[in-house]
Amino acid sequence: MSTRPSLTSLVQQAKDCQRCPLYRFATQTVFGEGPAHAPVMLVGEQPGDQEDLQGRPFVGPAGKILDRALADAGVNRSRVYVTNAVKHFKFEPRGKRRLHKKPNAAEIEACKWWLDQELDLIKPALTVALGATAARALAGRTIAIGASRGHLIELREGLPGLITIHPSFLLRMPDPEVKAQEYRRFVEDLRLIAQHVPAAKRAA
């Protein structure tokens, strides 16, 4: 009789993932990270340059914004499981830099197997899609962020969730005033986590 994999064994399996061609160019698989039975799962798009080098999700500039926003929203980061829709870094070399390149539908679909396994094992009470790629991977269809953010929705049958921007969106904003405004809106979105899942709240 086959036994259900643990999160640890899933991480080990993912290290050798060749489900799509992205593994050929990335440094390593960047799997999810957090408590095995976290009440909340945050799903981003894909690892960035720093995540690819360190092998951990959300440790680069966008991750720092996310950490700050979660703290400002009253969410305990240590009680949240963080992962990405795609587990390998897709990039375009530009001199010595590696510039982020958006994953395509085939790459998202190939990696959906890992994301579904994470959801099945963790069974979060709430799943948060950070950006359009994550929303598509979770819902299986394109979802407009503007029309869906700010309230609880069913991403797919039996999967309650929230949709908001990816924190990297804020990094690309040149206007400091607009950036500050959008950051506040992002925090407001994340405040809904603590409202809907009290177990994710930061200790007062």
Side-chain angles (χ1 to χ4, degrees):
M1 190 173 88
S2 63
T3 56
R4 201 157 162 270
S6 67
L7 199 54
T8 305
S9 68
L10 205 61
V11 171
Q12 290 303 313
Q13 289 175 46
K15 285 181 179 178
D16 299 318
C17 181
Q18 298 181 11
R19 297 179 71 88
C20 81
L22 292 182
Y23 79 93
R24 296 176 188 159
F25 311 103
T27 305
Q28 58 194 315
T29 305
V30 180
F31 211 72
E33 180 176 280
H37 299 290
V40 176
M41 180 188 286
L42 267 59
V43 182
E45 180 185 90
Q46 66 162 345
D49 181 72
Q50 284 303 308
E51 288 79 7
D52 175 69
L53 295 172
Q54 296 184 43
R56 297 179 60 207
F58 286 95
V59 292
K64 288 180 173 57
I65 290 177
L66 178 62
D67 284 349
R68 180 161 64 93
L70 285 170
D72 288 345
V75 177
N76 188 333
R77 173 69 175 78
S78 67
R79 293 179 190 164
V80 173
Y81 183 89
V82 180
T83 191
N84 283 297
V86 173
K87 312 300 192 207
H88 284 113
F89 180 34
K90 183 177 183 179
F91 62 91
E92 187 178 293
R94 189 74 57 85
K96 291 184 177 180
R97 297 175 65 207
R98 301 187 301 169
L99 301 182
H100 163 277
K101 197 172 178 184
K102 191 178 178 70
N104 61 37
E107 290 153 355
I108 295 167
E109 186 58 34
C111 221
K112 186 174 175 293
W113 188 88
W114 294 112
L115 183 58
D116 286 346
Q117 294 293 311
E118 288 173 297
L119 285 165
D120 186 51
L121 282 169
I122 293 165
K123 293 183 171 31
L126 187 69
T127 303
V128 182
L130 301 171
T133 298
R136 177 175 178 160
L138 289 162
R141 67 187 190 281
T142 301
I143 297 179
I145 294 175
S148 302
R149 69 187 293 190
H151 58 271
L152 196 67
I153 66 167
E154 194 170 54
L155 291 164
R156 63 173 95 143
E157 190 177 352
L159 189 65
L162 297 167
I163 295 177
T164 184
I165 60 165
H166 192 286
S168 63
F169 171 70
L170 298 168
L171 291 171
R172 299 191 294 271
M173 298 195 122
D175 187 316
E177 194 174 320
V178 175
K179 186 175 183 176
Q181 184 180 330
E182 284 300 321
Y183 174 79
R184 288 193 295 271
R185 194 177 173 200
F186 182 45
V187 171
E188 285 303 311
D189 287 345
L190 296 179
R191 279 208 175 100
L192 294 169
I193 296 172
Q195 286 178 29
H196 290 291
V197 187
K201 282 184 183 177
R202 198 177 36 155

